[in-house]
Amino acid sequence: MATAMVGWLRRQLPGVVALVLVVGVFFAVRLPSASSTERAELASAYGFAPMNIALPGGYEQQTIRKVNKDYKQIDAWISSVGAGVAMNDLDGDGLPNDLCITDPRIDQVVVTPTPGKRSQRYAPFALNAAPLPMGYAIAPMGCAPADLNEDGRMDLLVYYWGRTPVVFLAKPGADGLTADAYTPAELVPNAGGTTYSGPQWNSNAVALDDFDGDGHVDVYLGDYFPDGPVLDDRKSGGVAMNKSLSNATNGGEDHVFRWTGASASTVSFMEARGVLPKPVSKGWVLAAGANDLDGDQLPELYIAQDHGKDALLYNRSRPGKIEFSLVHGVRTPGVPKSKRLGSDSFKGMGIDFADFDHDGLYDMFVSDITTTFGIQESNLQFISTAKNKTELRSDLRDGKAPWEDRSADLGTAWSGWAWDVKIADFDNSGQTAIAQTTGFVKGEVNRWPQLQELAASNDAVVSDPYWWPHVRAGDDVAGSQRLHFFVKDGDRYQDVAKELGLAVPVPTRGIAVGDSDGDGLLDMAVARQWDEPAFYHNTSPSKGSYLHLKLTHDTPAAPAGGGLAAPGSPVVGAQVTVKTTDGRVLLGRVDGGSGHSGKRSDEVHIGLGTGVTGPVQAHLRWRDRTGTVREQDLRLSPGRHSLTLGTQAKEK
């Protein structure tokens, strides 16, 4: 018996050794995670109180979109985008306490005050595009605030599936915020009439910035589906699906518009054609971000593609001429293609910028699909490897992108079916946190197995919607995923959304950030797909100092007196670098409107931490209205400041 047992053990030895090795490797490479107690301690520096957002009544609600007959079996999939939110100062009261919400349930763009003490300033209302032509198969996808006609009041750029964008210009003589306070104007001239007959663009992302460096805000518009009747259930045909899940270049063509002039009641743009490489321009865009990365006051453009390679475009423009060139991460042994900037095959769905390691250079965070046992790609937390801006600029000019993805090491690689991402200092600690939306289609029938079959399919099959798995009303794909809130824990990040009460099992899309009540803490609004949007008032107990800057052009705005106040035109793209006495470098910028479907307010908010009580050194760099680059060093006390930027910076 003993001899037989020994023989049996010897025969099993290879399997036992293999099992021990597998278990050993698992514990060796398993990413460390914080305990519930440790996460609670991390979360204690933050706090958010959920509040209801007032919405207008009287609109018939839907739970899924009507779609082209060719898309009928995947109508829930087609209905998975369109919830967006922006936070800004629309009524000129000096606070970003107004929201512009795109709500798929009513297919309206709603303007409403943030909840709180000043929520009774006006009643929520929906924008009215009349007398511009609209149509049966048109739906808004997002809203981006900007002072497009440069009169000192915030206008609204609304983009759609089924038509070209509409600019809602704030009326100088409007008596408060109502639907009548805006004059709608076409971004792209069309035939007019009562029923829309122009190009059927299907736009899903915008980025607003001064791309050509002439001192005026330009528009990048990213399209998803090719032009066609995506939302017209009366039609069959005229639509398409991506020809690949990772390298598709048959999407809607992107568009770049250069600002050419404005008056009190008008604004004009000219489309700059051929500025994007064709494989990039025909991608399937879900997010875009603009930011000056190398310090020349020309913003680079990051385009997040759903079914193809993301693109980082280096800005080589000059006034009147927009020009970009593609840059790519350097290929090195051990780094897979999908971890290289500009070469990835992941499903790019969100983008934001921050200086995570305080080296004075911007890093990037890109949202992807990262569901365990589903489609487990990876978020991409790209950390700059350049020594300084001079070296970075040289690399970019040579077509190289010196950033490395460190999301796995930092603990941010996996979160879910991820969308918008906003990076901000929510507790004024001097360290940014990462807020990220997740979730896809909520229902009762799990469709992950069929989706995995699609993910493993040949690219020749996926271009035909017939072969796609049914995703209809009642089906579920990542429908119970939750908002994530990553905070720094030593050398890694931990998700403390559950501890903060943010982890509601509802698909979320856009995130807007701003200090809506002027208390020095950044609040957050979240758009939910097929559910009510949520507002989170910041209740952090932190006593950290902060620098909050409102930076506006010094050119005359509309005259004071009656109508909406004109607090000034934001200096989009202005950069702020703060150096603290303990040697930290902190970056901030005036964001014109980047991300998926969420738009932060245009103030610069920089947390300084608890050790800073006196003035700090702030370096400002901007372009004035002539396109001239200006810079100035200031000593600023912690708190709120309003500065006008012309040939020099002046405090109001």
Side-chain angles (χ1 to χ4, degrees):
M1 176 69 74
T3 302
M5 179 62 71
V6 170
W8 181 84
L9 288 173
R10 285 176 176 172
R11 290 193 299 273
Q12 301 302 317
L13 185 60
V16 172
V17 171
L19 180 61
V20 170
L21 284 172
V22 168
V23 173
V25 169
F26 170 77
F27 282 103
V29 304
R30 185 179 59 172
L31 295 175
S33 59
S35 67
S36 58
T37 301
E38 291 170 328
R39 286 197 302 273
E41 184 176 352
L42 288 170
S44 65
Y46 302 87
F48 292 96
M51 304 178 76
N52 293 326
I53 296 173
L55 298 172
Y59 293 95
E60 182 179 351
Q61 292 201 9
Q62 59 185 356
T63 57
I64 198 168
R65 293 194 188 281
K66 296 177 180 179
V67 302
N68 189 286
K69 292 179 181 179
D70 287 12
Y71 291 151
K72 187 174 182 180
Q73 69 180 29
I74 55 171
D75 56 0
W77 187 295
I78 304 298
S79 302
S80 63
V81 292
V85 61
M87 189 184 303
N88 217 294
D89 180 8
L90 303 183
D91 64 354
D93 69 349
L95 293 171
N97 51 10
D98 306 295
L99 302 174
C100 186
I101 297 170
T102 48
D103 190 342
R105 298 174 304 163
I106 57 176
D107 270 345
Q108 299 291 329
V109 183
V110 171
V111 174
T112 184
T114 58
K117 295 180 180 178
R118 291 175 49 78
S119 61
Q120 304 303 315
R121 286 171 290 125
Y122 58 91
F125 61 91
L127 295 176
N128 184 1
L132 300 184
M134 297 299 285
Y136 172 76
I138 296 173
M141 290 289 132
C143 173
D147 181 16
L148 297 173
N149 66 346
E150 302 179 355
D151 69 346
R153 300 179 179 87
M154 296 303 289
D155 311 305
L156 300 170
L157 174 67
V158 178
Y159 48 101
Y160 301 83
W161 278 8
R163 85 174 322 273
T164 55
V166 173
V167 177
F168 290 85
L169 296 169
K171 292 180 182 178
D175 187 15
L177 274 186
T178 66
D180 292 333
Y182 294 93
T183 299
E186 298 283 9
L187 182 71
V188 180
N190 59 63
T194 57
T195 302
Y196 181 77
S197 60
Q200 293 178 302
W201 293 358
N202 296 297
S203 306
N204 251 121
V206 302
L208 305 179
D209 214 316
D210 179 8
F211 291 118
D212 67 345
D214 67 349
H216 308 282
V217 172
D218 307 305
V219 178
Y220 162 80
L221 187 74
D223 281 11
Y224 191 74
F225 288 103
D227 298 3
V230 171
L231 301 180
D232 197 336
D233 63 334
R234 304 166 301 180
K235 295 183 178 180
S236 176
V239 293
M241 294 300 290
N242 44 294
K243 290 185 177 180
S244 168
L245 288 173
S246 59
N247 198 29
T249 57
N250 68 318
E253 184 175 358
D254 299 348
H255 305 272
V256 179
F257 294 91
R258 184 173 61 84
W259 188 96
T260 56
S263 69
S265 57
T266 63
V267 63
S268 61
F269 292 87
M270 177 180 293
E271 184 164 7
R273 300 185 182 275
V275 301
L276 302 177
K278 200 162 186 69
V280 174
S281 180
K282 296 284 285 184
W284 296 71
V285 181
L286 283 177
N291 189 17
D292 173 24
L293 302 178
D294 66 345
D296 62 359
Q297 286 305 126
L298 289 173
E300 277 63 58
L301 177 63
Y302 192 103
I303 301 175
Q305 309 270 21
D306 187 6
H307 299 297
K309 300 173 184 176
D310 288 0
L312 179 60
L313 295 153
Y314 177 57
N315 197 331
R316 298 175 177 271
S317 304
R318 59 186 183 275
K321 175 69 174 179
I322 298 176
E323 183 179 354
F324 294 105
S325 61
L326 273 171
V327 296
H328 294 85
V330 177
R331 189 166 190 173
T332 55
V335 179
K337 178 181 68 175
S338 285
K339 291 281 191 174
R340 290 173 53 213
L341 197 155
S343 300
D344 71 286
S345 59
F346 293 161
K347 310 298 181 289
M349 302 162 91
I351 169 68
D352 201 9
F353 305 90
D355 181 8
F356 291 113
D357 53 3
H358 302 301
D359 64 351
L361 298 175
Y362 278 106
D363 311 305
M364 290 170 266
F365 193 102
V366 181
S367 291
D368 293 307
I369 301 179
T370 68
T371 298
T372 305
F373 302 114
I375 298 178
Q376 186 161 341
E377 297 176 339
S378 171
N379 294 318
L380 300 170
Q381 191 167 358
F382 287 117
I383 306 299
S384 174
T385 60
K387 295 179 181 178
N388 49 50
K389 288 184 179 178
T390 301
E391 181 178 282
L392 173 60
R393 187 178 303 120
S394 177
D395 283 347
L396 291 172
R397 287 175 176 171
D398 291 341
K400 296 182 290 186
W403 283 270
E404 292 181 354
D405 172 49
R406 298 178 186 166
S407 57
D409 294 337
L410 292 171
T412 59
W414 301 289
S415 54
W417 194 303
W419 297 87
D420 210 7
V421 57
K422 289 293 181 288
I423 306 165
D425 188 343
F426 290 95
D427 68 341
N428 293 331
S429 63
Q431 183 64 56
T432 54
I434 304 167
Q436 184 188 45
T437 56
T438 66
F440 188 47
V441 174
K442 192 172 184 64
E444 297 79 39
V445 181
N446 183 6
R447 290 296 185 186
W448 271 117
Q450 291 84 355
L451 186 58
Q452 281 284 24
E453 291 180 2
L454 175 70
S457 298
N458 190 295
D459 280 351
V461 175
V462 300
S463 61
D464 187 344
Y466 176 81
W467 297 107
W468 282 60
H470 286 208
V471 183
R472 306 206 60 187
D475 293 333
D476 186 279
V477 180
S480 295
Q481 292 184 353
R482 297 157 164 81
L483 190 75
H484 281 62
F485 194 84
F486 294 103
V487 302
K488 197 73 180 292
D489 177 22
D491 294 331
R492 291 175 52 78
Y493 288 82
Q494 302 291 343
D495 177 23
V496 297
K498 181 179 179 181
E499 287 72 16
L500 292 172
L502 302 174
V504 180
V506 175
T508 47
R509 291 295 179 266
I511 303 176
V513 174
D515 181 6
S516 67
D517 54 2
D519 66 353
L521 294 169
L522 293 175
D523 307 306
M524 182 168 59
V526 178
R528 294 169 171 169
Q529 191 69 25
W530 302 112
D531 209 324
E532 293 184 2
F535 184 81
Y536 294 101
H537 177 242
N538 194 332
T539 60
S540 169
S542 171
K543 303 300 182 184
S545 299
Y546 64 92
L547 201 61
H548 189 96
L549 305 180
K550 181 70 174 178
L551 305 178
T552 56
H553 285 284
D554 71 343
T555 50
L564 291 176
S569 185
V571 187
V572 173
Q575 298 284 339
V576 181
T577 302
V578 172
K579 292 185 179 180
T580 61
T581 54
D582 58 4
R584 289 175 296 147
V585 177
L586 305 170
L587 300 183
R589 77 192 197 279
V590 179
D591 184 2
S594 298
H596 170 59
S597 63
K599 306 299 178 189
R600 59 164 52 85
S601 68
D602 49 42
E603 296 94 350
V604 178
H605 187 98
I606 298 175
L608 301 174
T610 56
V612 177
T613 57
V616 294
Q617 184 80 12
H619 181 76
L620 275 62
R621 188 175 171 89
W622 71 95
R623 283 186 187 269
D624 64 19
R625 282 295 191 210
T626 71
T628 304
V629 176
R630 310 287 184 177
E631 54 187 322
Q632 188 171 335
D633 289 313
L634 298 172
R635 292 280 291 173
L636 296 174
S637 299
R640 303 175 69 88
H641 298 267
S642 292
L643 303 170
T644 58
L645 305 183
T647 57
Q648 60 182 334
K650 297 180 180 179
E651 188 144 14
K652 289 184 179 180

